[in-house]
Every structure is written in C-alpha cells, then in structure tokens.
Amino acid sequence: MLDVQIKKQLFHYDLEVDFSVGNEKVILFGPSGSGKTTILDSIAGLNKPDSGKICLGNNLFFDQKQWMPTRVRNVGYLFQDYALFPHMTVEKNIYYGIRKKEQNSAIEKILDVLRIHHLWTKFPHQISGGEKQRVALARALATEPSVLLLDEPLSALDKQTRTECQDEILRIHEFWKIPFIIVTHDMDEAEKLGNKIIFLEEGKIIKTTTV
Amino acid sequence: MLDVQIKKQLFHYDLEVDFSVGNEKVILFGPSGSGKTTILDSIAGLNKPDSGKICLGNNLFFDQKQWMPTRVRNVGYLFQDYALFPHMTVEKNIYYGIRKKEQNSAIEKILDVLRIHHLWTKFPHQISGGEKQRVALARALATEPSVLLLDEPLSALDKQTRTECQDEILRIHEFWKIPFIIVTHDMDEAEKLGNKIIFLEEGKIIKTTTV
Amino acid sequence: MNGVDYTPLLLSMKVAAISTSIVFLTGVYFAHLFTRKSFFGKSIIESFFMLPLVLPPTVVGFALLVLFGKKGWIGSWLLEWFDLQVVFTWIGAVIASIVVSFPLMYQSASAAFSSLDSRLENAARTMGASEWRVFWTVAFPLAWPGLLAGLVLSFARGLGEFGATLMLAGFIPGKTDTIPMAIYFAVESGQMEQATFWVVIIVALGFSTIMWLNWWSKRNMRRFSADKSR
Amino acid sequence: MNGVDYTPLLLSMKVAAISTSIVFLTGVYFAHLFTRKSFFGKSIIESFFMLPLVLPPTVVGFALLVLFGKKGWIGSWLLEWFDLQVVFTWIGAVIASIVVSFPLMYQSASAAFSSLDSRLENAARTMGASEWRVFWTVAFPLAWPGLLAGLVLSFARGLGEFGATLMLAGFIPGKTDTIPMAIYFAVESGQMEQATFWVVIIVALGFSTIMWLNWWSKRNMRRFSADKSR
Amino acid sequence: SNERDKPVEIMISAAVSLTDALNEVKENYETTNQNVQLTFNLGSSGKLANQIDRGAPVDMFLSASSKDMDTIAAKGLIDESTKVEFASNSLVLITHRDNSTTINSFEQIQPEKIAHFSIGEPNSVPVGRYTKQVFERLGIWDPLQSKLVMGSDARQVLTYVEMGNVDFGVVYSSDTVITDKVKVLAEADDEWHESITYPGAIINDSLHKKEAQAFLDYLTSEEGKAVLKKYGFK
Ligand SMILES: Nc1ncnc2c1ncn2[C@@H]1O[C@H](COP(=O)(O)OP(=O)(O)OP(=O)(O)O)[C@@H](O)[C@H]1O
Ligand SMILES: Nc1ncnc2c1ncn2[C@@H]1O[C@H](COP(=O)(O)OP(=O)(O)OP(=O)(O)O)[C@@H](O)[C@H]1O
Ligand code: MOO
Ligand SMILES: [Mg+2]
Ligand SMILES: [Mg+2]
C-alpha cells in the first residue's frame, strides 16, 4: 500500500494531495501543469515536498523528519522526457537497473512486445521519438520495482503500438501486483489501464472514480 | 507549393518519398520510426538526403548540387523534443525568431489561446511537459514562416487544451495560407487538422487520402 | 613598508587585464572554429597550441626573444614598420602572458564547445538566426561554465607569469617589473618581508578577481549554467 | 649527440606520469565533491586551489621547501615516521608537478561537472545505482570532454614544470634532472645544441602523449562526447 | 668503480657558473679516486644557500659569492674551519660581436648614448652586486638607472648581448669563454669592487667530511686550479 500525502508550494498554486494506492493501477488525470509530474517526482524522491508523508507499506519514504534516498526506494520511473543516458546504447540503457541476470526471459518478452530489439546497439540520438519512449518504458519495467511510475508512457506512439503496449502493461501488473501510477491525457487509455482515476486540477484532487 | 522528393538511407530501411504540399495542411501519419521526423528535418535543412530535390515555389532548398542553409529557408519548426533554449525564459524563447515588433498583437492572441502568459518569466526547466510543448508551439508560430512544420505538436496536452490549440492552428492557417505539415498519431486529430493525410510505413508512402 | 613603489601592482593589473582579454577572445574564437571544422592537420595545430605549456617558461621566453628581439623576424619588422619596440617594454610582458595562458583558454573552450547540443543551435537556425547570432545567443551562453574556467585559469596564469616575461620584457624597475618579478627578486635577495608583502598583494588581487568573476557569473549568467533538472 | 645521458627523458616521463595520475584522481574527486556540496568557505578553498597558478613557480618551490624541508612541518614528519626524504629526490619533482598542475585539473573538472544534467543522475538513482555507480557510469562519462581537457593541461604543465621543481628537487644531474632542467642548464652553459636536442625531445614527448590521449579518447569515449543531435 | 665497496657519494651544491669547470674536475678526480662519486646540485648561489638552510642533504657548498656563504655560516650550518677560496673571477664589459663601438674601458661608458644596458640584479645576483659597486665607483650608477635591464643571472645578461637587444652588458670573464657572439671590451679594475671570490666549505651535517675535505683540497691544488683557469677563472 502506497500512501501519498503531499503539500508543496508551486509557482502558481499549492499542490495538496492525499491518496493511497494498493496493488492496483491508479491513473493521474488532469490538465497540463496540474502537478502530475511533481507528484511522481516526490514519490521517486527527486524533489522534497514542503510537508506531508509518503510511505510504501512499512517503508517511510518521506515525512517531516525523515528522507529516504531515491536509490533505496526501489521505484521504476518512466520520465516524461525519457531521460535516457545519451552515452549508452539502448542495450546498456535497458540493462542499467538490472541486478540479477536471471530475469532475462521476462525482459526478452518485454522487448518483443515493445519491438525495440533491432535498436539494440543504437544510441538515443540515433532513434526516433517513439522509439525513445519505448526504450524508456522498457528501462523502467526492467528494474522489477516495488512501485511503478509512468509519466505519459505512450503519448508518442501510434495506435497499434499503443494498444500492444497497454496490454503489456496490464499483463505485467497482473504478474507483479504492485502499485502502478500512470499519467495520461487520453480518457480511453485511462479507462483501459486504470482501476482508479484521480482527477487533478491546479494541484487539488477534484474527483476520484473507480473503473 | 512545396515539392518534396527525398531518398535517404536510414538504419533499417530506405526512406523514399515524393509529395507536394500546396497552401494546405498535410498530415504525416505513420507508426513510430517510419521516417516522419526525418522528412521534416530534411525540409528544415537539418539533415541532407542522399538524393532528391526539395523546393518551395521558386526557392530551391536542396538538390544534387545545391544546398540552402537552414537560416534562409524560413521554416517554422516545432521539434518533437521541443529543443527549447534552456538558458532563456519563456519570453526570450518565443521572441527569439521575431524580426519585426509589429506582429505583437498576433502573438498576443496565440499566447492567450495557448494559455502560457503566466509562464512568461520562467525557464524551461521550471515548467511542465505540456507547458513546454505549448511554448515550443508558440515559438514556431511566432516566426511567421513560409512553411510550418509541426512534429506532434499536441501530444502532451489534455483534451480541452488540445481542442483549443487545434482550433488555433486552423485559424492561423486560414490567415497565413502557407503549407503546413503536421505529424500526429491521433486519427481524429489528423482528420480535423488535415486537408490531406499521407500514410507512411517504413519510409514509403502507402496511401494518400484527401479529407 | 613605507615608501613601497606600487608600479608592480599597476603594471601587473594592466598586463593581466589586457592579456586575459586578448586570450579570451582569440581562445574562444579558435576553439569555436576548430570544434566545428575538421581538416587535415587540425590535431597538429592543436598540439602546437599546447606548446607553451610543455616548455619551461624560460625557454618560451627565449623563443619569444628570438622572434620579437631587435633582430628577430617579427621584432625587426615591427620596429621598421610601426616603430614599435616590444623587448623591454610592458608590451613584451603582455605578449609573454598571452603566449603562456592561451593554451589554458583554448583547451577549456574547446571542451566546452565540443559538448554542446547541436540540436539547440539548429533550432536557432530555423528561426533565421545568423551564425553570429547563433554563436552569441546559444553556443556562447551554453558553453559559459567551461569558458569561465578557461578565463579564470588564463587570468591566474597571466597574472603569475614570470619566466617568459622576465626574458622578453626584462626586469627594469619602475618600468617592466610585474609583481611576480618583484617577489622573485625579493626572495632571491633574502628580503622576506618585501617578498611576503608582494605575495599578499598578488594573492589578494588574484583571489578578489577570481571571486568577482565567479560572483559576476553567478549573477549574470546563472541561467546559463542553470541546473537543468526540475 | 653521442653519449647523451637519457636519464632526463626517463625521469620526466616517470614524474609526469605519476603526478598526472595523482592530479587527475584528486582533481576529479574534489571537483565532483565541491560541485555537489555548498558550504561556508567553499569559494575560499577554491581560490586557494588556484594559488599555485598565481604565484611564480620559484615562490611555490620556496614554499614547498619550507613545508617539505628537513625542518619543515611535513618534511620533518615524513622523515621521522617514514624515513622519507623529499628534498633532492625525484619524489620532490613529483610533488612540485602535482602542486602546479592541480589547479588546471580542478578548474576544468569543476566546470565539466557543473554543467551536467542532474536529471540523468536522478534517473540512475531511481534504478538503484549507488552514488559511486552514478559517478562512474553517468557523471564521469558525461563530463569526459572537460576532464580530458584538464588531463591534457595538467599533463603538459607537469611535464614542463621547472621553477618549483628546481627548488624542491634540486638540479642533480643523473638524479633529479628532468628535461626542462636539462634544457635550462644547457642554455645556461651555452650548449645550444644540447638545449635544442632536449627541446625537440620534450616537444615530441608532449605532442605524442597529447595526441595519443585524444586518439584514445576518440576511440574509447566517442559515445561520451557524441553529438547529441540527430 | 671498485667492485667491493660502493663508492661514497658526495653531494656538492655548486654555483651554476662553475658547471663546465667542475665537470672536468670531476672526471679527473674520479679516475684517481674510485672510492668517491661526486654528485653536483647546481643553481644560483642564493637558491643553493636557501636549500641548505632548509636542510637539504648536502656535503659541500661551492658558492659564487662570499655573501651567500656568510649567510649560512652565520646560521652555523658550515664547518668554518674548512672554508677556503678556491677561485676568483673578474668583471668584463661586453657587447655584441657586430657592434662597432670603439669603447675599450669602463670609464668611457656614456650613459646618455645608451638605450639598454644589462647587468645582474644587484640584490640577488652576485655579478649584479659587483657591477653596481663598479658603477657607483665610476659615478655612472645614477645616470644609467633608466637604462638598466636586470637579469636573474649572468646567463640572461649574456643572452641579451648575444641577441643584440642591449648595447652593453657586464658579466664575469668566465662567462665569455662559452660564447663567440660577444666581444669583451674591457675588464674592470679589481679595486672597484669587493673581490670576486668563490668560497667553498663543508656542511656541518655532512656524513662524509673526510672524503669531502679530500676533494676540496684537490680543488685548491695546482691541478684543480689549472682546470678552473682553463674556464676563465683565476
Ligand atoms: N542518423 C541516423 N542515420 C540513420 N538512421 C537514423 C538516424 N537517426 C534516426 N534513424 C532511424 O530512422 C528511422 C526514422 O526515424 P524518425 O525519427 O524519422 O521516425 P518518426 O517517424 O519520426 O518516428 P516517431 O513517431 O517515433 O518519432 C528510425 O528507425 C531511426 O532509428
Ligand atoms: N521547481 C519548481 N518550483 C515551483 N513550481 C514548479 C517547479 N517546477 C515546475 N513548477 C510548476 O509546477 C506546476 C506543475 O508542474 P508539473 O510538471 O507537475 O505538471 P504536469 O501535471 O506534469 O503537467 P504536464 O501534463 O504538462 O506534464 C507547473 O505549473 C510548473 O510551472
Ligand atoms: O651563483 Mo651565480 O651563477 O653568480 O647566480
Ligand atoms: Mg508532466
Ligand atoms: Mg519523430
């Protein structure tokens, strides 16, 4: 169970949210600039809320007094701007977070679905926008995290690839049973991927629906 | 009239396209990695096709013997990854390509529609993904170009903002009457924005439809 | 310490300021030019730029004397056409400082320009920016941290330059005596008090300038080196 | 040129190699540490690092002699505990080279680290990378062009170092005579042929090493400085 | 060298102006005394004195000026009983070999006709100190002030003259032996300056005083003197 309770002053409004995610798929849905990425960054430990508390089960990620470094939070995070390592090949990027070599077959499956096998030896500046996004998705999935954060994971993909990737995400959740938080702007996608949709506006939760 | 005729060897296939764009809105539609960005880059002069010819009216952009530098091609280009100047405020970014100060009122209108006025003094790393995309769109529109190239201009936006931006793009085309080439993965958007849709696959045009 | 002659201070400031400016401009110019173009013999020229760093300053001074001396190639030419004497004048000190600090500026600037993201320069070009404008509005500000490092290094090196200067400008008290020379001769003649005085002065001058440069850069160029993270 | 004693060549290579390695490691370490932490007095320490660049080498040598001499703080301590004599040994030459070239490495590395995109380091952290791994796999390779510049500069400076070395290591033919000293003393005693010989050797050594470094870097680190454009 | 005992190494800090002479002396000495190896540390006398003051492991100091020897003697660093003057030198007025000047004595120096005159820096370089004494004696120190280019050692003065950048220079007569690009115009009268002597002494901390003394004796013997003379010393 991931409990998130954040207060943080942003430039134009205060972000103030409070929600819990079980081993389910929660969608953050809201207009551009409503604080979605900020929430994911806080969970991953890439920024510090002004106050609040974030914990995953018994693991306290953050509260007034404590701060757990990003490294040990064990989150898988697909960044909105990918943040691929420019000096590493696709292969090195994807294998970066993998500890044990045994999981190879799971990864192979992911690579097949995402269709990025042929990019194996390419560097990020040598591949297309959508290819980058798929590599970033593979990288986030490859770590076998305790929480998965996906910031607009499929926005640069065409319909067909998108559908296949959605199915893969669902399949992986089936398998891992951990909290997924997914940001998307596409209502159809939200309804397909999520158990629960959190509607954000100017940093506040205005509605929560269960699919 | 923009005539594009390109042959270029890519990593996994040969790009080979031939199409013309009048003062209309043409959509490039195709799966991830099918060569859309490569085509826009060639038109903007950011890469050199192996052979072919690109010309806008009487202006020869490129052929076997000639090469017109990017600077004088006068294209407006929204990059897929935005390429905002990280060291300039939103204001400086948008005003970068503006020659005459008179067009201010036209720009004001764009800024209103894109709702980025309040970001005026912020740097790119201080704004959200969707905000970046809108700033990049404003920057491309502000130059008053002879050809407009938009590489997935609205992919990071929520439904409502997206609709408004689509309307603005249509309105601007009404007004400027120049060739627009727009890349999108969303069929609805393609049909709303385009006069003509070019379907690409592995670097070849497989179909062209007129809306 | 009364009756101290302050000419070394003024002279050092003048020499360091002029040579640093020239080195900055030429270093940035060549580094930018060379990172964009590749041609045969480039790495040889680049190694050649490093020469004054590898050779002991006295040898550099000796070579400069051969070039700029009254009978040297450049020296005799300057004398004939411009009636300009370089040896034994403060101009000689400027030349010596330029030569020894140029490699520092060039190498730093070259590294800075080579790690630029050319996508941003291209974005500027699509908006009709001339190469000149692309340079000043995109390449230069984004390369700034590296350029600043080069600036600080070459200023410090130019300020502290001694061996080559002594050779080319000579030690003429009241005319070509920079602070490092004053220190050297004070140490050599065992006048430790005098030496300490000048060490304090040069350290103060060096520190305050470097700190001012850093402060100025933070203030005016903060955004250039802005943390690109959220 | 028969019967030339080649000890200066071997000694210079040894001294330059050891001092460059030490300077590279410590310079990179401190630069990385200091760009991430900010604390009171940081800019003072940073200015302090620049000191050996501002002062004429002879003065640096004098200061080192005071520290490392038999009666100096460090010198007496080294002698007592390790029975290690620094003055008049090749170790003295290494120390002198380290001190004069450290500022070059530090400043270059500092600029390189400060323009890193911390978003990439964060991405590595989310994947469970330790700070050590983040450094070696992300920060170091991405800062490489700047680090290489520092490496080249400090190698060249260390190779050419003369003033401070002369003071600390002395000029003992066959024992502490680096190439720059051999040049200096050949000039001193009017043996121009000998001097030219050594100048050619040091230039060849410097050039070939710098070109080898650049070549090696292009080969092994091409991707690190890869043009980030399409 | 002898196979059985390792030769004793004697570290001698010597004024750089003695380099060539000492190298020849060393060769001669080591062939007859195989139990000794002479190692030189060369530099300007002031630097050498500084190093000895800071505890450099030296057995003998051969200085180019009594002032530097006196400095460390005053600190009790040398064995005063071993101090000897093993050589002396004189000052000469030199110019570039192509210079057509007709001057042939120090008295004929006309400051107003000179653009640049190079001498050693008087406070730190012995040759400069002696030169200053000469000029003061002749009353041309003040009028020459603005013309003086001061070198950090005799070699620099010589270089300026060799390259024709200064009109005249003053160096030791021994310095002119190694170059043919300058001509000697005049030699200064010994009366005009304190005597230019080269004192040598053994350092108190030396571990090889006996062997050092033997070499110092050799240097002052007729055989040693002959070599020094060959290189322009007296
Ligand atoms: N420098 C290059 N040389 C050769 N091939 C390249 C180069 N850069 C990219 N490619 C390849 O060209 C293909 C087309 O890339 P492009 O960016 O044009 O695709 P796209 O249609 O824009 O895709 P997306 O919708 O994912 O952005 C990709 O397979 C890519 O790997
Ligand atoms: N360092 C910062 N300090 C304060 N406010 C910030 C900072 N960085 C970004 N903001 C602001 O926080 C708001 C929320 O940004 P965030 O990136 O979380 O939005 P988002 O919901 O992810 O939007 P999008 O869908 O466009 O990516 C934006 O208005 C942005 O300008
Ligand atoms: O000991 Mo010197 O050679 O007169 O400076
Ligand atoms: Mg976002
Ligand atoms: Mg693309």
Side-chain angles (χ1 to χ4, degrees):
Chain A
M1 181 69 110
L2 176 71
D3 292 299
V4 180
Q5 192 186 326
I6 299 174
K7 269 194 194 181
K8 186 176 168 72
Q9 199 187 336
L10 298 180
F11 287 127
H12 304 292
Y13 57 82
D14 287 346
L15 178 70
E16 211 175 328
V17 293
D18 188 346
F19 63 91
S20 297
V21 187
N23 292 334
E24 57 188 340
K25 296 152 296 174
V26 165
I27 305 290
L28 290 183
F29 195 92
S32 175
S34 55
K36 305 179 294 294
T37 301
T38 309
I39 293 172
L40 298 193
D41 276 359
S42 302
I43 296 171
L46 305 184
N47 71 30
K48 249 196 178 100
D50 299 333
S51 67
K53 185 175 163 180
I54 304 174
C55 58
L56 177 68
N58 296 325
N59 278 335
L60 183 62
F61 280 8
F62 163 82
D63 75 356
Q64 232 60 308
K65 278 157 271 151
Q66 260 190 302
W67 169 261
M68 184 187 277
T70 301
R71 179 168 57 85
V72 287
R73 292 192 184 191
N74 197 25
V75 299
Y77 191 177
L78 163 61
F79 293 79
Q80 192 171 8
D81 58 358
Y82 319 144
L84 294 177
F85 301 124
H87 58 296
M88 295 184 195
T89 57
V90 165
E91 171 181 13
K92 290 252 173 66
N93 264 285
I94 291 175
Y95 273 101
Y96 191 86
I98 295 180
R99 280 144 247 203
K100 336 167 198 98
K101 277 277 161 195
E102 308 100 66
Q103 348 171 159
N104 264 350
S105 67
I107 294 170
E108 285 299 317
K109 179 76 176 59
I110 295 172
L111 298 179
D112 277 347
V113 176
L114 299 185
R115 276 183 287 147
I116 46 180
H117 246 129
H118 62 296
L119 305 172
W120 218 222
T121 57
K122 297 284 176 286
F123 288 96
H125 72 270
Q126 297 176 319
I127 64 180
S128 83
E131 287 164 351
K132 271 182 218 163
Q133 195 169 47
R134 283 175 281 155
V135 172
L137 180 58
R139 186 175 73 167
L141 295 175
T143 47
E144 283 213 83
S146 318
V147 193
L148 187 68
L149 311 173
L150 304 177
D151 201 349
E152 305 203 25
L154 311 171
S155 64
L157 303 178
D158 55 289
K159 194 113 191 182
Q160 196 198 329
T161 317
R162 196 165 182 149
T163 311
E164 287 164 13
C165 290
Q166 287 166 350
D167 294 339
E168 179 66 9
I169 291 173
L170 290 175
R171 202 185 60 79
I172 289 177
H173 185 263
E174 229 13 60
F175 197 66
W176 287 355
K177 295 214 168 39
I178 57 164
F180 275 31
I181 304 182
I182 303 170
V183 173
T184 179
H185 286 119
D186 183 331
M187 201 58 213
D188 295 342
E189 186 165 283
E191 283 167 355
K192 175 168 179 191
L193 289 183
N195 303 112
K196 198 159 94 181
I197 305 179
I198 296 177
F199 293 85
L200 277 175
E201 205 150 285
E202 299 241 306
K204 311 284 179 302
I205 296 177
I206 52 164
K207 192 171 73 171
T208 307
T209 63
T210 312
V211 180
Chain B
M1 181 68 108
L2 176 72
D3 293 299
V4 179
Q5 194 185 327
I6 300 174
K7 271 193 193 180
K8 188 175 167 71
Q9 198 186 337
L10 298 180
F11 286 128
H12 304 291
Y13 56 82
D14 286 348
L15 178 71
E16 211 175 329
V17 294
D18 187 347
F19 62 92
S20 296
V21 187
N23 293 333
E24 58 188 340
K25 296 152 296 177
V26 166
I27 306 290
L28 289 184
F29 195 95
S32 176
S34 56
K36 306 179 294 294
T37 301
T38 309
I39 293 171
L40 299 194
D41 276 358
S42 302
I43 296 171
L46 304 184
N47 70 31
K48 250 196 178 103
D50 299 333
S51 68
K53 186 175 162 180
I54 304 173
C55 58
L56 177 68
N58 295 326
N59 278 335
L60 184 62
F61 280 6
F62 163 81
D63 74 0
Q64 231 61 309
K65 278 157 273 152
Q66 260 191 303
W67 169 260
M68 186 187 275
T70 301
R71 178 167 57 84
V72 287
R73 293 191 183 192
N74 196 25
V75 299
Y77 191 177
L78 163 62
F79 293 78
Q80 191 171 7
D81 58 358
Y82 319 144
L84 294 177
F85 301 124
H87 59 295
M88 296 185 195
T89 57
V90 165
E91 173 182 12
K92 290 251 172 65
N93 263 287
I94 292 174
Y95 274 100
Y96 191 87
I98 296 179
R99 280 142 247 204
K100 332 163 202 108
K101 276 279 160 192
E102 309 101 67
Q103 348 173 160
N104 264 350
S105 66
I107 293 170
E108 286 298 318
K109 179 75 176 58
I110 294 171
L111 298 179
D112 278 346
V113 176
L114 300 184
R115 278 184 286 149
I116 46 180
H117 247 130
H118 63 294
L119 305 172
W120 219 220
T121 57
K122 297 284 176 286
F123 288 96
H125 71 271
Q126 299 175 317
I127 63 179
S128 82
E131 288 165 350
K132 271 182 218 161
Q133 194 168 48
R134 284 175 282 154
V135 171
L137 181 57
R139 186 175 74 167
L141 295 175
T143 47
E144 284 215 80
S146 318
V147 194
L148 187 68
L149 311 173
L150 304 177
D151 201 348
E152 304 202 26
L154 311 172
S155 63
L157 302 179
D158 55 289
K159 194 114 193 184
Q160 197 199 329
T161 317
R162 195 165 183 150
T163 312
E164 287 165 14
C165 290
Q166 288 166 350
D167 293 340
E168 180 65 11
I169 290 173
L170 291 175
R171 204 186 59 78
I172 289 177
H173 185 263
E174 229 13 60
F175 197 66
W176 286 356
K177 294 213 167 42
I178 57 165
F180 275 31
I181 303 183
I182 304 170
V183 172
T184 179
H185 286 117
D186 182 333
M187 202 58 212
D188 294 342
E189 186 167 283
E191 281 168 355
K192 178 170 177 190
L193 288 182
N195 303 114
K196 199 158 95 181
I197 304 178
I198 297 177
F199 292 85
L200 277 175
E201 206 151 283
E202 299 241 304
K204 311 282 181 302
I205 297 177
I206 51 165
K207 191 171 76 174
T208 307
T209 61
T210 312
V211 180
Chain C
M1 297 307 301
N2 280 328
V4 172
D5 180 8
Y6 282 96
T7 48
L9 175 59
L10 298 176
L11 185 67
S12 270
M13 282 167 64
K14 180 163 84 173
V15 170
I18 297 178
S19 78
T20 308
S21 313
I22 295 176
V23 164
F24 185 72
L25 293 177
T26 53
V28 167
Y29 176 80
F30 280 107
H32 187 246
L33 193 74
F34 278 31
T35 41
R36 288 152 46 93
K37 297 232 169 12
S38 59
F39 50 89
F40 180 76
K42 181 169 121 175
S43 60
I44 295 181
I45 299 184
E46 284 193 298
S47 297
F48 180 78
F49 284 163
M50 299 297 291
L51 204 56
L53 205 61
V54 178
L55 295 173
T58 335
V59 176
V60 174
F62 190 83
L64 289 178
L65 202 56
V66 170
L67 282 180
F68 287 96
K70 250 185 204 157
K71 297 176 181 171
W73 299 344
I74 308 180
S76 56
W77 179 82
L78 284 176
L79 200 64
E80 191 173 331
W81 291 91
F82 298 94
D83 199 24
L84 187 74
Q85 165 111 24
V86 166
V87 179
F88 304 148
T89 63
W90 66 271
I91 300 176
V94 171
I95 292 177
S97 280
I98 289 175
V99 168
V100 297
S101 53
F102 181 81
L104 305 180
M105 188 69 226
Y106 177 79
Q107 197 72 24
S108 304
S110 184
F113 286 126
S114 79
S115 24
L116 280 191
D117 184 349
S118 64
R119 193 102 183 130
L120 295 175
E121 294 179 280
N122 281 338
R125 290 189 189 107
T126 62
M127 289 182 269
S130 62
E131 288 308 304
W132 179 252
R133 185 152 183 248
V134 170
F135 175 76
W136 283 111
T137 57
V138 181
F140 185 87
L142 289 174
W144 177 250
L147 301 184
L148 176 67
L151 188 62
V152 165
L153 286 176
S154 45
F155 168 76
R157 182 73 185 84
L159 187 65
E161 163 49 26
F162 164 71
T165 312
L166 180 63
M167 207 73 185
L168 193 63
F171 177 61
I172 306 178
K175 223 179 120 193
T176 63
D177 50 341
T178 58
I179 300 180
M181 288 195 206
I183 296 174
Y184 176 82
F185 285 108
V187 169
E188 287 288 297
S189 57
Q191 300 170 317
M192 281 308 162
E193 210 176 290
Q194 181 97 2
T196 313
F197 171 77
W198 283 117
V199 165
V200 170
I201 296 280
I202 200 172
V203 167
L205 183 59
F207 276 21
S208 55
T209 310
I210 291 174
M211 286 173 105
W212 175 81
L213 269 174
N214 280 324
W215 172 86
W216 180 88
S217 160
K218 266 214 192 85
R219 223 181 132 225
N220 291 281
M221 308 252 177
R222 176 186 291 137
R223 54 187 184 285
F224 294 174
S225 46
D227 189 1
K228 276 151 225 141
S229 81
R230 293 285 309 276
Chain D
M1 294 310 300
N2 280 329
V4 171
D5 178 9
Y6 282 96
T7 48
L9 175 60
L10 297 177
L11 185 67
S12 268
M13 282 168 63
K14 180 163 83 172
V15 169
I18 296 179
S19 79
T20 307
S21 314
I22 295 177
V23 163
F24 184 71
L25 292 178
T26 54
V28 167
Y29 177 79
F30 280 107
H32 188 247
L33 192 74
F34 279 30
T35 40
R36 288 151 46 93
K37 297 233 170 6
S38 58
F39 52 88
F40 179 77
K42 181 169 122 176
S43 58
I44 295 182
I45 299 183
E46 284 194 298
S47 297
F48 179 78
F49 284 163
M50 299 298 291
L51 205 57
L53 207 60
V54 179
L55 295 173
T58 336
V59 176
V60 174
F62 185 80
L64 289 178
L65 198 57
V66 170
L67 281 180
F68 286 94
K70 241 187 213 160
K71 301 168 192 169
W73 298 345
I74 308 180
S76 56
W77 179 82
L78 283 177
L79 201 63
E80 191 172 331
W81 290 92
F82 298 95
D83 197 25
L84 188 73
Q85 166 109 26
V86 165
V87 178
F88 282 6
T89 63
W90 66 272
I91 300 177
V94 171
I95 292 177
S97 280
I98 289 175
V99 169
V100 298
S101 55
F102 181 80
L104 305 180
M105 189 67 226
Y106 177 78
Q107 196 72 25
S108 304
S110 183
F113 287 126
S114 79
S115 23
L116 279 191
D117 185 349
S118 64
R119 194 102 185 130
L120 295 174
E121 293 178 278
N122 281 337
R125 290 189 190 108
T126 62
M127 288 182 270
S130 61
E131 288 307 304
W132 178 253
R133 182 149 187 251
V134 170
F135 174 77
W136 283 110
T137 55
V138 182
F140 185 87
L142 289 174
W144 177 250
L147 301 183
L148 176 66
L151 187 62
V152 165
L153 286 177
S154 44
F155 167 77
R157 181 72 184 85
L159 188 65
E161 162 50 25
F162 165 69
T165 312
L166 181 62
M167 206 71 186
L168 194 61
F171 175 63
I172 306 175
K175 224 179 119 192
T176 64
D177 51 340
T178 58
I179 301 180
M181 286 196 208
I183 296 173
Y184 177 78
F185 284 97
V187 171
E188 278 291 309
S189 51
Q191 299 168 316
M192 281 309 163
E193 208 177 290
Q194 181 100 359
T196 313
F197 170 77
W198 284 117
V199 165
V200 171
I201 295 282
I202 199 173
V203 168
L205 182 60
F207 275 21
S208 55
T209 310
I210 292 174
M211 287 173 104
W212 175 79
L213 270 174
N214 281 323
W215 172 85
W216 181 87
S217 160
K218 267 214 193 83
R219 218 176 139 231
N220 291 282
M221 309 254 178
R222 175 187 290 135
R223 52 187 185 285
F224 295 173
S225 47
D227 188 2
K228 277 151 226 142
S229 81
R230 292 285 308 276
Chain E
S1 67
N2 198 304
E3 315 245 24
R4 275 160 298 159
D5 347 86
K6 226 173 133 220
V8 174
E9 184 183 28
I10 303 179
M11 176 73 76
I12 303 170
S13 276
V16 63
S17 44
L18 296 164
T19 309
D20 297 307
L22 285 181
N23 275 334
E24 191 169 330
V25 172
K26 172 185 155 95
E27 222 165 276
N28 295 344
Y29 189 75
E30 281 180 352
T31 40
T32 47
N33 298 273
Q34 304 219 334
N35 61 326
V36 178
Q37 189 198 336
L38 303 176
T39 305
F40 295 116
N41 171 48
L42 303 162
S44 73
S45 309
K47 241 185 217 113
L48 299 176
N50 246 327
Q51 288 172 332
I52 292 168
D53 183 23
R54 295 290 161 186
V58 175
D59 296 299
M60 187 190 297
F61 181 29
L62 300 178
S63 171
S65 88
S66 29
K67 190 174 154 234
D68 292 308
M69 182 62 88
D70 294 345
T71 312
I72 58 167
K75 294 183 177 172
L77 293 167
I78 60 163
D79 184 345
E80 296 268 8
S81 66
T82 61
K83 198 175 124 184
V84 285
E85 280 164 4
F86 62 91
S88 67
N89 216 334
S90 57
L91 288 184
V92 290
L93 176 66
I94 56 170
T95 190
H96 192 267
R97 70 171 169 215
D98 298 338
N99 193 323
S100 57
T101 182
T102 54
I103 288 179
N104 58 17
S105 78
F106 276 78
E107 287 97 329
Q108 289 172 6
I109 295 170
Q110 291 174 289
E112 65 281 2
K113 290 195 177 164
I114 292 169
H116 294 293
F117 197 129
S118 186
I119 64 168
E121 203 277 331
N123 293 317
S124 59
V125 189
V127 66
R129 187 168 80 245
Y130 305 131
T131 308
K132 182 180 175 188
Q133 290 163 358
V134 172
F135 286 3
E136 278 175 342
R137 172 73 173 253
L138 298 176
I140 52 174
W141 177 248
D142 287 327
L144 269 178
Q145 269 310 296
S146 60
K147 317 287 171 89
L148 294 178
V149 179
M150 301 190 178
S152 61
D153 56 20
R155 180 66 224 176
Q156 201 183 350
V157 176
L158 202 59
T159 302
Y160 286 147
V161 176
E162 283 177 341
M163 291 194 182
N165 285 303
V166 296
D167 305 306
F168 300 107
V170 174
V171 294
Y172 295 127
S173 70
S174 65
D175 291 324
T176 60
V177 173
I178 57 171
T179 172
D180 57 359
K181 295 199 192 76
V182 304
K183 60 183 174 195
V184 175
L185 300 174
E187 188 171 314
D189 193 324
D190 284 346
E191 298 287 294
W192 297 342
H193 53 77
E194 70 181 86
S195 63
I196 306 175
T197 53
Y198 287 65
I202 293 171
I203 307 299
N204 262 335
D205 285 348
S206 170
L207 299 175
H208 311 289
K209 286 194 175 158
K210 198 171 99 255
E211 291 84 352
Q213 185 63 54
F215 175 69
L216 199 53
D217 290 342
Y218 174 80
L219 196 61
T220 47
S221 70
E222 284 310 311
E223 216 174 316
K225 282 231 165 80
V227 176
L228 287 165
K229 193 154 194 163
K230 189 172 144 194
Y231 287 93
F233 298 95
K234 286 195 238 171

